Amino acid sequence: MALMSSGRSFYITTPIFYVNDVPHIGHAYNEVACDVLARWHRQGGDDTWLLTGTDEHGQKILRTATAHDTSPKEWVDRLVESAWKPLLKTLNIANDDFIRTTDERHEEGVRIFLQRLYDAGYIYAGEFEALYCVGCEEFKPESEIVDGTGEFEGQKVCAIHSKPLELLSEKNYFFSMSQFAEPLLEYYAAHPDFIQPDSARNEVVSFVQSGLKDLSISRSSFDWGIKVPWDESHVVYVWFDALLNYVTAVGYDADPDEFARRWPAALHMVGKDILRFHAVIWPAMLMAAGLPIPEKVFGHGWLLVGGEKMSKSKATGIAPSQITDVFGTDAFRYYFMRAITLGSDGSFSWEDIHARYHAELANGLGNLGSRVIAMVQKYFDGQVPVDALDSVTEPEQALADLEQRVTREADAAIERIAPHEAIAVIWELVDALNGYVTEQEPWALAKAGDTGRLARVLSTLTHGVATLAVLLAPVMPGSMQTLWAAIGGKGPVQDQDVRTAFAVASAGPVHTIPPLFPRVDDDAVPATPVPQA
Ligand code: MSP
């Protein structure tokens, strides 16, 4: 079935990543989650737009560049090209745009936005002294300031980074965010789905209920940033600058038609550590500017390795390519979407991905595909004879019903932003098809010369495998295209409407392919790193 645009706009964003370092699997996790959701919506005919990019200003990046004896611009240009854009290739991300906060389109949009807030009276100059975490790029709220231990005994440290906070005292410009506490609470109450999951929403609501302070939105002690239009001795606070990427990338303020088409975004997917910026500061900024607020902000959990939050600077740091080199891109995408509940923390271990790779991908799905193809080759020379089919019996009807239910429930799970549930329900079909092969024993039908029944069984199986290829294409685009073509599907699998996957057209001639998920030897799999004491 050819795709027709439903007209429904689905604009989804990843956070823009700090380019002070190279990507790790925590960043990759977010990219993959967004790409799977975007591919699903695109394959369902929605007017989909996936945005990702890089956050390039601020003190953290300036310091890293200086430590590497280079200018910040040279540093970010180098990292974007050598590390961040290649990450998208490694993961097979089909993003529609890539925004850098050093793009002129972005800088211009930020200046316009800021000037409008200033003209409307939401920005004022003031003196300020507070504890700043360069890791977070944030003046910390009381709740995230803790007493240091060990080498930082006697100092105040950041609850997230466990590093000492810096006391900054500057003249800054402020955004009068405090006046938005009430409007935000009203907004949350009227839009209970705005912040997800529920646990995250409750946290944000109680944070705002305890009152909001005005937000310092400029810095004057360094100059790596966008200059404040009316006072060039200040640069825009990096978070204020960064959040605006979501609108500057879709035409604010240069392309009103594109902006009207995409905005408000359907979903900002962010890690839970940066949810507050997206669920409090960002909607307050939009309210002040009179712009619509995104439909949803979803805070996913952290990837843990050896029980601690994965971060590149620690011993447990893992680069995405370490995993894709062993298991391939699609297995990477599958594993993180299947094994971890989006919205909760989840542990990565090499042992776990290895076990799931063999049980679910190689033996479950891959084996099903190759057996069905091999039998159609062997018994019918590659093409099930459609004019010689026996009629449908109860097991075939049950599979047809299952295909419908799985398609419907997987789509509903994606709507709930629960890709792990979508994959779990699709796997009911994988298991049912494998069970059907065992029960129907096509080899026995062949031996008994029961051609009509054999044709019915193999046609049921090819249809089931084609349905699987369509449903799993958003998760494993490369291997599902291979499977789709091998089972006789025409054209790109991503042109098949995922929401009617159960009604996929009957497949044409099959052809043999090498194993989709070849065995991985034990000695190719590293041991999971353990945190250093
Ligand atoms: N630049 C800001 C975001 C600005 S968006 C307007 C930023 N960048 S970041 O590179 O530090 O982090 C980007 C994302 O990576 C965050 O959503 C963060 O939660 C995520 N992760 C970093 N480590 C992670 C894990 N170990 N696990 C899962 N995600 C984590 O913050």
Side-chain angles (χ1 to χ4, degrees):
M1 204 173 295
L3 283 191
M4 294 206 321
S5 174
S6 64
R8 175 183 167 198
S9 170
F10 185 76
Y11 171 32
I12 173 171
T13 66
T14 73
I16 49 172
F17 299 92
Y18 288 129
V19 287
N20 58 317
D21 205 349
V22 294
H24 60 60
I25 57 173
H27 306 127
Y29 176 59
N30 181 299
E31 286 282 358
V32 168
C34 290
D35 190 52
V36 168
L37 296 174
R39 283 180 187 263
W40 187 283
H41 280 268
R42 208 179 280 126
Q43 217 180 302
D46 297 341
D47 185 16
T48 303
W49 196 256
L50 169 60
L51 174 70
T52 188
T54 43
D55 190 352
E56 307 185 9
H57 293 127
Q59 208 163 0
K60 172 148 76 178
I61 291 183
L62 176 62
R63 283 189 187 171
T64 316
T66 310
H68 287 84
D69 271 336
T70 160
S71 76
K73 184 68 170 87
E74 277 166 347
W75 177 255
V76 295
D77 284 349
R78 189 197 306 167
L79 275 243
V80 166
E81 291 308 321
S82 67
W84 290 89
K85 286 190 172 167
L87 172 72
L88 305 177
K89 263 203 143 65
T90 303
L91 303 172
N92 198 2
I93 304 297
N95 55 307
D96 297 286
D97 194 2
F98 186 99
I99 189 155
R100 301 180 52 179
T101 54
T102 51
D103 286 349
E104 179 49 32
R105 58 173 171 162
H106 174 74
E107 299 200 350
E108 180 59 14
V110 171
R111 285 190 289 266
I112 290 170
F113 185 95
L114 201 63
Q115 186 70 52
R116 286 194 182 145
L117 256 52
Y118 187 63
D119 294 344
Y122 288 114
I123 291 175
Y124 63 92
E127 292 285 336
F128 194 51
E129 186 176 80
L131 292 170
Y132 194 82
C133 170
V134 178
C136 294
E137 291 279 20
E138 185 187 21
F139 286 103
K140 299 309 295 182
E142 287 297 328
S143 56
E144 289 179 10
I145 300 175
V146 297
D147 289 325
T149 53
E151 62 175 316
F152 304 130
E153 184 83 49
Q155 298 182 59
K156 294 289 180 198
V157 303
C158 166
I160 294 174
H161 290 89
S162 308
K163 297 249 176 70
L165 298 163
E166 299 176 23
L167 186 67
L168 295 185
S169 171
E170 283 177 22
K171 173 184 168 253
N172 290 139
Y173 288 98
F174 286 81
F175 166 46
S176 48
M177 192 162 72
S178 52
Q179 62 179 284
F180 291 96
E182 272 313 311
L184 282 170
L185 289 169
E186 281 163 24
Y187 190 85
Y188 303 149
H191 301 85
D193 289 344
F194 172 54
I195 305 167
Q196 305 218 333
D198 288 349
S199 54
R201 186 188 56 229
N202 297 340
E203 241 173 76
V204 169
V205 169
S206 47
F207 178 81
V208 177
Q209 274 167 345
S210 67
L212 290 181
K213 294 205 169 90
D214 287 349
L215 179 74
S216 159
I217 54 144
S218 75
R219 301 291 307 277
S220 57
S221 54
F222 63 92
D223 68 353
W224 177 235
I226 301 171
K227 289 192 165 35
V228 170
W230 63 88
D231 180 351
E232 299 212 335
S233 65
H234 285 243
V235 292
V236 179
Y237 168 47
V238 62
W239 267 102
F240 204 87
D241 160 355
L243 287 163
L244 284 164
N245 90 88
Y246 302 129
V247 292
T248 60
V250 290
Y252 180 86
D253 154 87
D255 186 345
D257 288 344
E258 179 66 5
F259 191 60
R261 178 176 176 184
R262 305 286 175 209
W263 195 257
L267 177 61
H268 293 315
M269 175 69 70
V270 301
K272 62 182 184 182
D273 49 328
I274 61 168
L275 182 75
R276 211 174 52 219
F277 294 93
H278 288 79
V280 180
I281 300 179
W282 181 224
M285 287 165 64
L286 291 166
M287 281 177 179
L291 292 173
I293 290 170
E295 281 167 41
K296 267 191 188 89
V297 179
F298 189 98
H300 64 71
W302 286 338
L303 290 191
L304 312 174
V305 177
E308 76 175 14
K309 180 180 179 228
M310 231 281 334
S311 117
K312 197 71 194 103
S313 52
K314 296 185 181 154
T316 48
I318 297 173
S321 59
Q322 285 176 263
I323 299 176
T324 57
D325 284 351
V326 177
F327 294 106
T329 296
D330 281 345
F332 182 104
R333 296 170 58 104
Y334 170 81
Y335 172 76
F336 285 105
M337 290 302 100
R338 171 88 200 248
I340 296 166
T341 300
L342 198 67
S344 307
D345 289 351
S347 290
F348 168 79
S349 80
W350 285 98
E351 297 75 16
D352 191 34
I353 188 174
H354 195 190
R356 280 184 180 268
Y357 178 84
H358 278 147
E360 292 157 20
L361 292 180
N363 295 341
L365 176 64
N367 200 27
L368 171 69
S370 13
R371 280 169 99 190
V372 171
I373 290 167
M375 290 189 286
V376 177
Q377 293 280 27
K378 183 166 170 195
Y379 303 132
F380 291 118
D381 259 346
Q383 175 84 67
V384 180
V386 280
D387 48 358
L389 298 175
D390 268 11
S391 43
V392 166
T393 66
E394 199 273 317
E396 287 80 44
Q397 191 53 51
L399 279 174
D401 294 346
L402 181 66
E403 286 176 1
Q404 285 221 28
R405 177 171 69 77
V406 161
T407 304
R408 201 178 55 240
E409 289 184 7
D411 190 47
I414 295 290
E415 286 295 325
R416 293 195 298 279
I417 318 177
H420 51 285
E421 289 176 13
I423 299 175
V425 75
I426 295 168
W427 236 256
E428 287 184 32
L429 185 57
V430 174
D431 293 339
L433 290 167
N434 273 320
Y436 179 77
V437 175
T438 313
E439 283 156 23
Q440 301 303 319
E441 301 185 315
W443 46 91
L445 295 171
K447 209 164 167 196
D450 195 349
T451 312
R453 179 71 195 149
L454 180 61
R456 169 56 66 197
V457 168
L458 289 183
S459 121
T460 303
L461 284 167
T462 46
H463 188 273
V465 172
T467 301
L468 284 175
V470 173
L471 289 172
L472 289 168
V475 183
M476 297 183 279
S479 46
M480 290 307 102
Q481 175 58 39
T482 306
L483 180 61
W484 168 250
I487 204 81
K490 308 263 180 311
V493 67
Q494 65 199 32
D495 287 355
Q496 301 295 315
D497 186 345
V498 76
R499 295 186 176 119
T500 53
F502 59 88
V504 70
S506 291
V510 307
H511 64 260
T512 309
I513 41 166
L516 287 174
F517 306 103
R519 302 223 136 251
V520 169
D521 285 340
D522 287 351
D523 55 13
V525 182
T528 302
V530 286
Q532 280 163 352

